[in-house]
Amino acid sequence: MTRRELLTSMPLLAVSHAARAGPQLEIRAARLRQQIESLSAHGRPSGGSFSDGVSRIGYSDADIAGRKYVLSLVEAARLKARIDAAGNIFVRKPGTNAALSPVLFGSHIDSVPNGGNFDGDLGSLAAIEVLRVLGENGIVTRRPLEAVVWSCEEATFNGNTLNGSRAAAGKLRPGELEGVSRGLTLSESMRRIGGDPARLDETQLRSGAFHAYLELHIEQGGTLDKEGTSIGIVEGIVALDHYDAVITGMANHAGTTPMADRQDALLAAAQLTLAVREVVTQQPGPQVGTVGHLDVEPNASNVVPGRVRLSIDLRDLSTEKLRRLGEAIRARAAAIGAQTKTQIVLTQTQHAEPALASSEVKAVIQRAAAQLQLSHRSLPSGAVHDAQVMATVGPMGMIFVPSVGGISHSPQEVTSWEDCMRGANVLLQSVLALAA
Ligand code: GLV
Ligand code: MN
Ligand code: MN
């Protein structure tokens, strides 16, 4: 079948201007690119360029500037934004039947320190572009459409991921709003970006809040790029357990404290870091474990370290396997504490459930990719995403596009502009199909 035959054989979508709503309708690729480049200026290292990536930590000044830029795009699309109690940005485009639940789609714009320009940004800006292009073409779908930019998805604000989407879905743990990071409680941080955490309960997304949730995202791994496949259809997202380890030894003089008498918290942290790797690699499987953050006190070259706080990030599709890995690491921590004369307190600070994508939403994405004649495959996600929180509320699906070299959470994170456009067009067609 030729591309033309394939396109003309498509069922007409139930939208008010159906004649213009087939695959011939496309997002404006040059505009999307220009917007990704402009957003990148907010949080860019000073004197740097696009290729230097971004540090746009959730709730930071750079994040606030990036959100302001996003709001200017909403205005340019002649739409109105609503900030929910957690500071998430929602943009609704009414459908012909206001009684129906909306199709929700989006991502996040906060980044890790020294992060890339595509993680979250692509899915967020493509979501607004979808609404804009539909508006420009006079297309009104049956269901309402809602784009969302989740706040603070990355773990770099307080060590917890998915803050905005978890808050929206009523999944914050007790006391989490009072936790302090970068000098502010999570509540204060939410207020800083226009949220009102006192109203979280009132605005909570409950079952039935949306018809389906879609997220376009870069793969962040190398599967699609290695194969030369354009579109990934996510089967499921891994579970994540996050632990904080606080290791208390005794700060002492680096010149006068004999080696045998030391209670070196950093030495214990080094052993614990190795232990995490040993425990995780002891059995075959795709499970991964990372010690990615250390606070060393007093962090001075002539003082034996007295206290270290470190993060442990464990991921796998099986919650049960993560629990067992956590137990094994706890046992190793106790032994390391005894051997190094330090005290190690391990606290689990987060558990994100694994999430399976809905088979109906996967089929919609698959059909959209096929209709656009794009190569596609199913694959799991090793990165966490707001989509896994949304999967607790309603049907969820994710569209992945290739990450060059599988690099992400780095300024070297790149997705070709062609792939950005392909992913955004698959999002557009999937949204149309779900909203019909
Ligand atoms: C989020 O990007 C994560 O997978 O940590
Ligand atoms: Mn990320
Ligand atoms: Mn992301």
PDB file of all heavy atoms in Angstrom, residues 289-315:
ATOM      1  N   GLY A 289      20.748  -0.191  40.408  1.00  0.00           N
ATOM      2  CA  GLY A 289      20.866   0.515  41.685  1.00  0.00           C
ATOM      3  C   GLY A 289      21.928   1.588  41.562  1.00  0.00           C
ATOM      4  O   GLY A 289      22.971   1.367  40.964  1.00  0.00           O
ATOM      5  N   THR A 290      21.639   2.765  42.115  1.00  0.00           N
ATOM      6  CA  THR A 290      22.544   3.905  41.943  1.00  0.00           C
ATOM      7  C   THR A 290      22.695   4.681  43.242  1.00  0.00           C
ATOM      8  O   THR A 290      21.703   5.008  43.889  1.00  0.00           O
ATOM      9  CB  THR A 290      21.962   4.887  40.879  1.00  0.00           C
ATOM     10  OG1 THR A 290      21.706   4.155  39.685  1.00  0.00           O
ATOM     11  CG2 THR A 290      22.910   6.034  40.586  1.00  0.00           C
ATOM     12  N   VAL A 291      23.944   4.967  43.624  1.00  0.00           N
ATOM     13  CA  VAL A 291      24.199   5.969  44.657  1.00  0.00           C
ATOM     14  C   VAL A 291      24.625   7.211  43.892  1.00  0.00           C
ATOM     15  O   VAL A 291      25.702   7.220  43.280  1.00  0.00           O
ATOM     16  CB  VAL A 291      25.304   5.507  45.626  1.00  0.00           C
ATOM     17  CG1 VAL A 291      25.672   6.631  46.599  1.00  0.00           C
ATOM     18  CG2 VAL A 291      24.836   4.277  46.399  1.00  0.00           C
ATOM     19  N   GLY A 292      23.764   8.224  43.875  1.00  0.00           N
ATOM     20  CA  GLY A 292      24.022   9.366  42.991  1.00  0.00           C
ATOM     21  C   GLY A 292      24.252  10.670  43.709  1.00  0.00           C
ATOM     22  O   GLY A 292      24.653  11.662  43.107  1.00  0.00           O
ATOM     23  N   HIS A 293      23.990  10.685  45.020  1.00  0.00           N
ATOM     24  CA  HIS A 293      24.111  11.961  45.741  1.00  0.00           C
ATOM     25  C   HIS A 293      24.771  11.737  47.091  1.00  0.00           C
ATOM     26  O   HIS A 293      24.369  10.849  47.845  1.00  0.00           O
ATOM     27  CB  HIS A 293      22.709  12.563  45.943  1.00  0.00           C
ATOM     28  CG  HIS A 293      22.751  13.861  46.692  1.00  0.00           C
ATOM     29  ND1 HIS A 293      22.838  15.069  46.048  1.00  0.00           N
ATOM     30  CD2 HIS A 293      22.762  14.142  48.026  1.00  0.00           C
ATOM     31  CE1 HIS A 293      22.888  16.037  46.965  1.00  0.00           C
ATOM     32  NE2 HIS A 293      22.833  15.492  48.162  1.00  0.00           N
ATOM     33  N   LEU A 294      25.787  12.504  47.402  1.00  0.00           N
ATOM     34  CA  LEU A 294      26.446  12.429  48.713  1.00  0.00           C
ATOM     35  C   LEU A 294      26.580  13.829  49.297  1.00  0.00           C
ATOM     36  O   LEU A 294      26.957  14.757  48.575  1.00  0.00           O
ATOM     37  CB  LEU A 294      27.867  11.857  48.593  1.00  0.00           C
ATOM     38  CG  LEU A 294      28.026  10.347  48.576  1.00  0.00           C
ATOM     39  CD1 LEU A 294      28.027   9.852  47.152  1.00  0.00           C
ATOM     40  CD2 LEU A 294      29.317   9.940  49.255  1.00  0.00           C
ATOM     41  N   ASP A 295      26.249  13.977  50.566  1.00  0.00           N
ATOM     42  CA  ASP A 295      26.571  15.210  51.313  1.00  0.00           C
ATOM     43  C   ASP A 295      27.597  14.794  52.337  1.00  0.00           C
ATOM     44  O   ASP A 295      27.308  13.905  53.162  1.00  0.00           O
ATOM     45  CB  ASP A 295      25.345  15.715  52.088  1.00  0.00           C
ATOM     46  CG  ASP A 295      24.473  16.594  51.234  1.00  0.00           C
ATOM     47  OD1 ASP A 295      24.997  17.251  50.324  1.00  0.00           O
ATOM     48  OD2 ASP A 295      23.251  16.611  51.494  1.00  0.00           O
ATOM     49  N   VAL A 296      28.756  15.394  52.291  1.00  0.00           N
ATOM     50  CA  VAL A 296      29.822  15.016  53.225  1.00  0.00           C
ATOM     51  C   VAL A 296      30.048  16.166  54.194  1.00  0.00           C
ATOM     52  O   VAL A 296      30.174  17.314  53.772  1.00  0.00           O
ATOM     53  CB  VAL A 296      31.126  14.712  52.444  1.00  0.00           C
ATOM     54  CG1 VAL A 296      32.238  14.294  53.392  1.00  0.00           C
ATOM     55  CG2 VAL A 296      30.883  13.628  51.393  1.00  0.00           C
ATOM     56  N   GLU A 297      30.116  15.845  55.495  1.00  0.00           N
ATOM     57  CA  GLU A 297      30.364  16.896  56.497  1.00  0.00           C
ATOM     58  C   GLU A 297      31.609  16.545  57.284  1.00  0.00           C
ATOM     59  O   GLU A 297      31.757  15.380  57.662  1.00  0.00           O
ATOM     60  CB  GLU A 297      29.186  17.012  57.461  1.00  0.00           C
ATOM     61  CG  GLU A 297      27.935  17.557  56.815  1.00  0.00           C
ATOM     62  CD  GLU A 297      26.749  17.511  57.796  1.00  0.00           C
ATOM     63  OE1 GLU A 297      26.983  17.462  59.029  1.00  0.00           O
ATOM     64  OE2 GLU A 297      25.614  17.490  57.323  1.00  0.00           O
ATOM     65  N   PRO A 298      32.496  17.439  57.552  1.00  0.00           N
ATOM     66  CA  PRO A 298      32.398  18.848  57.128  1.00  0.00           C
ATOM     67  C   PRO A 298      32.925  19.092  55.716  1.00  0.00           C
ATOM     68  O   PRO A 298      32.961  20.231  55.277  1.00  0.00           O
ATOM     69  CB  PRO A 298      33.262  19.560  58.166  1.00  0.00           C
ATOM     70  CG  PRO A 298      34.291  18.567  58.558  1.00  0.00           C
ATOM     71  CD  PRO A 298      33.645  17.221  58.461  1.00  0.00           C
ATOM     72  N   ASN A 299      33.320  18.054  54.993  1.00  0.00           N
ATOM     73  CA  ASN A 299      33.801  18.204  53.610  1.00  0.00           C
ATOM     74  C   ASN A 299      35.025  19.102  53.547  1.00  0.00           C
ATOM     75  O   ASN A 299      35.085  20.050  52.780  1.00  0.00           O
ATOM     76  CB  ASN A 299      32.672  18.759  52.729  1.00  0.00           C
ATOM     77  CG  ASN A 299      32.783  18.254  51.294  1.00  0.00           C
ATOM     78  OD1 ASN A 299      33.511  17.292  51.020  1.00  0.00           O
ATOM     79  ND2 ASN A 299      32.105  18.895  50.371  1.00  0.00           N
ATOM     80  N   ALA A 300      35.979  18.788  54.396  1.00  0.00           N
ATOM     81  CA  ALA A 300      37.222  19.569  54.459  1.00  0.00           C
ATOM     82  C   ALA A 300      38.395  18.599  54.342  1.00  0.00           C
ATOM     83  O   ALA A 300      38.344  17.491  54.883  1.00  0.00           O
ATOM     84  CB  ALA A 300      37.299  20.324  55.790  1.00  0.00           C
ATOM     85  N   SER A 301      39.427  19.031  53.620  1.00  0.00           N
ATOM     86  CA  SER A 301      40.501  18.084  53.282  1.00  0.00           C
ATOM     87  C   SER A 301      41.291  17.621  54.497  1.00  0.00           C
ATOM     88  O   SER A 301      41.912  16.561  54.476  1.00  0.00           O
ATOM     89  CB  SER A 301      41.431  18.706  52.241  1.00  0.00           C
ATOM     90  OG  SER A 301      42.034  19.856  52.809  1.00  0.00           O
ATOM     91  N   ASN A 302      41.272  18.396  55.584  1.00  0.00           N
ATOM     92  CA  ASN A 302      42.078  17.996  56.750  1.00  0.00           C
ATOM     93  C   ASN A 302      41.226  17.524  57.926  1.00  0.00           C
ATOM     94  O   ASN A 302      41.634  17.596  59.070  1.00  0.00           O
ATOM     95  CB  ASN A 302      43.012  19.148  57.164  1.00  0.00           C
ATOM     96  CG  ASN A 302      42.237  20.414  57.482  1.00  0.00           C
ATOM     97  OD1 ASN A 302      41.023  20.480  57.270  1.00  0.00           O
ATOM     98  ND2 ASN A 302      42.924  21.416  57.995  1.00  0.00           N
ATOM     99  N   VAL A 303      40.026  17.064  57.621  1.00  0.00           N
ATOM    100  CA  VAL A 303      39.151  16.542  58.684  1.00  0.00           C
ATOM    101  C   VAL A 303      38.627  15.171  58.283  1.00  0.00           C
ATOM    102  O   VAL A 303      38.146  14.990  57.150  1.00  0.00           O
ATOM    103  CB  VAL A 303      37.938  17.487  58.941  1.00  0.00           C
ATOM    104  CG1 VAL A 303      37.109  16.985  60.122  1.00  0.00           C
ATOM    105  CG2 VAL A 303      38.397  18.914  59.183  1.00  0.00           C
ATOM    106  N   VAL A 304      38.703  14.202  59.183  1.00  0.00           N
ATOM    107  CA  VAL A 304      38.090  12.889  58.940  1.00  0.00           C
ATOM    108  C   VAL A 304      36.581  13.125  58.859  1.00  0.00           C
ATOM    109  O   VAL A 304      35.995  13.726  59.775  1.00  0.00           O
ATOM    110  CB  VAL A 304      38.409  11.911  60.096  1.00  0.00           C
ATOM    111  CG1 VAL A 304      37.676  10.592  59.921  1.00  0.00           C
ATOM    112  CG2 VAL A 304      39.913  11.693  60.227  1.00  0.00           C
ATOM    113  N   PRO A 305      35.938  12.685  57.764  1.00  0.00           N
ATOM    114  CA  PRO A 305      34.499  12.982  57.609  1.00  0.00           C
ATOM    115  C   PRO A 305      33.654  12.427  58.759  1.00  0.00           C
ATOM    116  O   PRO A 305      33.757  11.255  59.108  1.00  0.00           O
ATOM    117  CB  PRO A 305      34.140  12.299  56.292  1.00  0.00           C
ATOM    118  CG  PRO A 305      35.434  12.232  55.543  1.00  0.00           C
ATOM    119  CD  PRO A 305      36.489  11.997  56.591  1.00  0.00           C
ATOM    120  N   GLY A 306      32.803  13.306  59.332  1.00  0.00           N
ATOM    121  CA  GLY A 306      32.010  12.900  60.492  1.00  0.00           C
ATOM    122  C   GLY A 306      30.610  12.419  60.125  1.00  0.00           C
ATOM    123  O   GLY A 306      29.989  11.642  60.875  1.00  0.00           O
ATOM    124  N   ARG A 307      30.110  12.901  59.000  1.00  0.00           N
ATOM    125  CA  ARG A 307      28.721  12.550  58.671  1.00  0.00           C
ATOM    126  C   ARG A 307      28.554  12.574  57.151  1.00  0.00           C
ATOM    127  O   ARG A 307      29.068  13.484  56.484  1.00  0.00           O
ATOM    128  CB  ARG A 307      27.802  13.594  59.312  1.00  0.00           C
ATOM    129  CG  ARG A 307      26.346  13.253  59.325  1.00  0.00           C
ATOM    130  CD  ARG A 307      25.623  14.235  60.273  1.00  0.00           C
ATOM    131  NE  ARG A 307      24.207  13.966  60.299  1.00  0.00           N
ATOM    132  CZ  ARG A 307      23.343  14.488  59.431  1.00  0.00           C
ATOM    133  NH1 ARG A 307      23.755  15.304  58.487  1.00  0.00           N
ATOM    134  NH2 ARG A 307      22.059  14.198  59.534  1.00  0.00           N
ATOM    135  N   VAL A 308      27.842  11.571  56.653  1.00  0.00           N
ATOM    136  CA  VAL A 308      27.544  11.540  55.212  1.00  0.00           C
ATOM    137  C   VAL A 308      26.078  11.181  55.040  1.00  0.00           C
ATOM    138  O   VAL A 308      25.553  10.309  55.740  1.00  0.00           O
ATOM    139  CB  VAL A 308      28.415  10.482  54.472  1.00  0.00           C
ATOM    140  CG1 VAL A 308      27.967  10.329  53.023  1.00  0.00           C
ATOM    141  CG2 VAL A 308      29.888  10.865  54.503  1.00  0.00           C
ATOM    142  N   ARG A 309      25.466  11.868  54.125  1.00  0.00           N
ATOM    143  CA  ARG A 309      24.102  11.495  53.742  1.00  0.00           C
ATOM    144  C   ARG A 309      24.177  11.095  52.277  1.00  0.00           C
ATOM    145  O   ARG A 309      24.752  11.832  51.460  1.00  0.00           O
ATOM    146  CB  ARG A 309      23.210  12.713  53.929  1.00  0.00           C
ATOM    147  CG  ARG A 309      21.782  12.433  53.689  1.00  0.00           C
ATOM    148  CD  ARG A 309      20.928  13.621  54.010  1.00  0.00           C
ATOM    149  NE  ARG A 309      19.666  13.402  53.314  1.00  0.00           N
ATOM    150  CZ  ARG A 309      18.706  14.277  53.251  1.00  0.00           C
ATOM    151  NH1 ARG A 309      18.811  15.443  53.826  1.00  0.00           N
ATOM    152  NH2 ARG A 309      17.597  13.993  52.604  1.00  0.00           N
ATOM    153  N   LEU A 310      23.653   9.924  51.952  1.00  0.00           N
ATOM    154  CA  LEU A 310      23.682   9.510  50.543  1.00  0.00           C
ATOM    155  C   LEU A 310      22.339   8.937  50.096  1.00  0.00           C
ATOM    156  O   LEU A 310      21.520   8.508  50.916  1.00  0.00           O
ATOM    157  CB  LEU A 310      24.840   8.534  50.270  1.00  0.00           C
ATOM    158  CG  LEU A 310      24.921   7.172  50.927  1.00  0.00           C
ATOM    159  CD1 LEU A 310      23.996   6.186  50.263  1.00  0.00           C
ATOM    160  CD2 LEU A 310      26.360   6.646  50.813  1.00  0.00           C
ATOM    161  N   SER A 311      22.169   8.967  48.769  1.00  0.00           N
ATOM    162  CA  SER A 311      20.897   8.497  48.204  1.00  0.00           C
ATOM    163  C   SER A 311      21.102   7.135  47.542  1.00  0.00           C
ATOM    164  O   SER A 311      22.149   6.882  46.952  1.00  0.00           O
ATOM    165  CB  SER A 311      20.403   9.484  47.144  1.00  0.00           C
ATOM    166  OG  SER A 311      21.308   9.492  46.049  1.00  0.00           O
ATOM    167  N   ILE A 312      20.102   6.278  47.662  1.00  0.00           N
ATOM    168  CA  ILE A 312      20.138   4.986  46.956  1.00  0.00           C
ATOM    169  C   ILE A 312      18.860   4.885  46.127  1.00  0.00           C
ATOM    170  O   ILE A 312      17.747   5.007  46.660  1.00  0.00           O
ATOM    171  CB  ILE A 312      20.209   3.799  47.948  1.00  0.00           C
ATOM    172  CG1 ILE A 312      21.435   3.943  48.859  1.00  0.00           C
ATOM    173  CG2 ILE A 312      20.244   2.458  47.188  1.00  0.00           C
ATOM    174  CD1 ILE A 312      21.499   2.911  49.977  1.00  0.00           C
ATOM    175  N   ASP A 313      19.038   4.685  44.825  1.00  0.00           N
ATOM    176  CA  ASP A 313      17.912   4.622  43.886  1.00  0.00           C
ATOM    177  C   ASP A 313      17.897   3.210  43.295  1.00  0.00           C
ATOM    178  O   ASP A 313      18.869   2.782  42.677  1.00  0.00           O
ATOM    179  CB  ASP A 313      18.183   5.712  42.823  1.00  0.00           C
ATOM    180  CG  ASP A 313      17.227   5.735  41.639  1.00  0.00           C
ATOM    181  OD1 ASP A 313      16.987   4.676  41.036  1.00  0.00           O
ATOM    182  OD2 ASP A 313      16.759   6.834  41.274  1.00  0.00           O
ATOM    183  N   LEU A 314      16.826   2.452  43.537  1.00  0.00           N
ATOM    184  CA  LEU A 314      16.716   1.074  43.052  1.00  0.00           C
ATOM    185  C   LEU A 314      15.522   0.987  42.097  1.00  0.00           C
ATOM    186  O   LEU A 314      14.442   1.505  42.414  1.00  0.00           O
ATOM    187  CB  LEU A 314      16.452   0.104  44.218  1.00  0.00           C
ATOM    188  CG  LEU A 314      17.481   0.073  45.356  1.00  0.00           C
ATOM    189  CD1 LEU A 314      16.992  -0.850  46.475  1.00  0.00           C
ATOM    190  CD2 LEU A 314      18.842  -0.398  44.842  1.00  0.00           C
ATOM    191  N   ARG A 315      15.712   0.318  40.949  1.00  0.00           N
ATOM    192  CA  ARG A 315      14.604   0.233  39.979  1.00  0.00           C
ATOM    193  C   ARG A 315      14.483  -1.164  39.377  1.00  0.00           C
ATOM    194  O   ARG A 315      15.481  -1.808  39.058  1.00  0.00           O
ATOM    195  CB  ARG A 315      14.811   1.228  38.835  1.00  0.00           C
ATOM    196  CG  ARG A 315      14.963   2.646  39.323  1.00  0.00           C
ATOM    197  CD  ARG A 315      14.980   3.620  38.183  1.00  0.00           C
ATOM    198  NE  ARG A 315      15.378   4.941  38.685  1.00  0.00           N
ATOM    199  CZ  ARG A 315      15.136   6.083  38.094  1.00  0.00           C
ATOM    200  NH1 ARG A 315      14.484   6.084  36.955  1.00  0.00           N
ATOM    201  NH2 ARG A 315      15.534   7.223  38.606  1.00  0.00           N
TER     202      ARG A 315
END
